[in-house]
Amino acid sequence: MIRKTVANVEDALQGVEDGMTFMLGGFGLSGIPENAISELVRLNVKNLTCISNNAGVDDFGLGLLLQKKQIDKMVSSYVGENDEFERQMLSEELEVELIPQGTLAARCQAAQQGYPAMYTPAGYGTEVSQFKETREFDGKMYVLEKAFKADFAFVKAWKGDKAGNLIFKGTARNFNPLMCGAAKVTVVEVEELVEPGELDPNQIHIPGIFVQRIFEGKNYEKRIEKRTVRKVS
């Protein structure tokens, strides 16, 4: 069996360099690869292109990379709760490609499955479709969207085994499964790493063939982007 387990996040991010393109799982702050992001901050790699649904918040998640001006381009579906992301975008310090959320997911999946591109009706007739090929199918217009090309995909899962098989939990599943196998190297951090055979095969969401490196993360904060609670009656 190919060895995929690495001892820590430092080993997992071997080969990361300036100017690379990264995919990062998560939705808001749910299911973000906290350990990988912290290591990217420590390594101080720069001129990055980051593909992620959004960019965390000012002081957490990808917001930490934005604060240090490590990101040159964000490919996202929305700005979210990150004031620094908004400021850098409006001042044109940061290049931003905003993509319909379903298209973002589909372009990840196309890369994962080996398709060079896919057609979608989303964005036809808007700025999204400018300078892109369009085509009619059965009387409906579609936009050709290319699969993403990334050097690393950083993914967070709940449980995994040393063969790379993964289980995601609740809403933290989001974009994470779609990014597995969608880059040259997929790095997964898990809350619990077990021996092969310990996971119920019927519960596995992603098989290990999509994973190159896996490690057990630590010190997860799991912040909530906007906490909403019921008033005491």
Side-chain angles (χ1 to χ4, degrees), residues 131-177:
F131 313 114
K132 294 178 182 177
E133 179 183 330
T134 58
R135 186 172 175 180
E136 181 179 345
F137 292 94
D138 298 324
K140 188 172 183 178
M141 295 302 298
Y142 292 78
V143 181
L144 182 69
E145 296 281 3
K146 294 181 179 179
F148 288 126
K149 293 182 179 179
D151 298 292
F152 281 83
F154 298 113
V155 170
K156 162 75 189 316
W158 176 46
K159 284 186 180 181
D161 66 23
K162 293 180 179 180
N165 299 303
L166 306 175
I167 297 176
F168 300 92
K169 188 174 184 179
T171 55
R173 191 169 174 180
N174 52 65
F175 282 84
N176 280 299

Side-chain angles (χ1 to χ4, degrees), residues 34-201:
E34 293 182 29
N35 284 217
I37 292 172
S38 295
E39 180 64 5
L40 290 172
V41 172
R42 188 189 72 81
L43 291 171
N44 199 33
V45 286
K46 297 182 181 297
N47 309 122
L48 303 175
T49 296
C50 291
I51 301 165
S52 185
N53 183 60
N54 58 298
V57 293
D58 287 331
D59 62 345
F60 197 59
L62 284 177
L64 298 173
L65 296 174
L66 285 171
Q67 282 185 351
K68 292 184 65 179
K69 306 292 182 67
Q70 292 176 251
I71 302 174
D72 279 359
K73 180 178 180 180
M74 279 297 308
V75 181
S76 304
S77 70
Y78 74 110
V79 175
E81 301 292 325
N82 194 320
D83 292 335
E84 180 61 15
F85 185 1
E86 180 182 15
R87 188 195 68 76
Q88 289 188 26
M89 181 179 72
L90 294 176
S91 65
E92 298 185 348
E93 297 173 42
L94 177 70
E95 183 181 353
V96 178
E97 182 181 353
L98 291 177
I99 301 174
Q101 201 164 72
T103 303
L104 184 74
R107 289 177 68 182
C108 290
Q109 193 168 35
Q112 180 192 64
Q113 297 177 355
Y115 299 132
M118 38 72 68
Y119 281 102
T120 173
Y124 176 75
T126 71
E127 290 184 8
V128 171
S129 63
Q130 284 185 346
F131 313 114
K132 294 178 182 177
E133 179 183 330
T134 58
R135 186 172 175 180
E136 181 179 345
F137 292 94
D138 298 324
K140 188 172 183 178
M141 295 302 298
Y142 292 78
V143 181
L144 182 69
E145 296 281 3
K146 294 181 179 179
F148 288 126
K149 293 182 179 179
D151 298 292
F152 281 83
F154 298 113
V155 170
K156 162 75 189 316
W158 176 46
K159 284 186 180 181
D161 66 23
K162 293 180 179 180
N165 299 303
L166 306 175
I167 297 176
F168 300 92
K169 188 174 184 179
T171 55
R173 191 169 174 180
N174 52 65
F175 282 84
N176 280 299
L178 300 176
M179 292 183 174
C180 291
K184 294 176 183 176
V185 178
T186 296
V187 176
V188 181
E189 55 184 82
V190 296
E191 295 179 41
E192 184 178 350
L193 185 63
V194 301
E195 295 294 330
E198 290 189 35
L199 299 179
D200 180 351

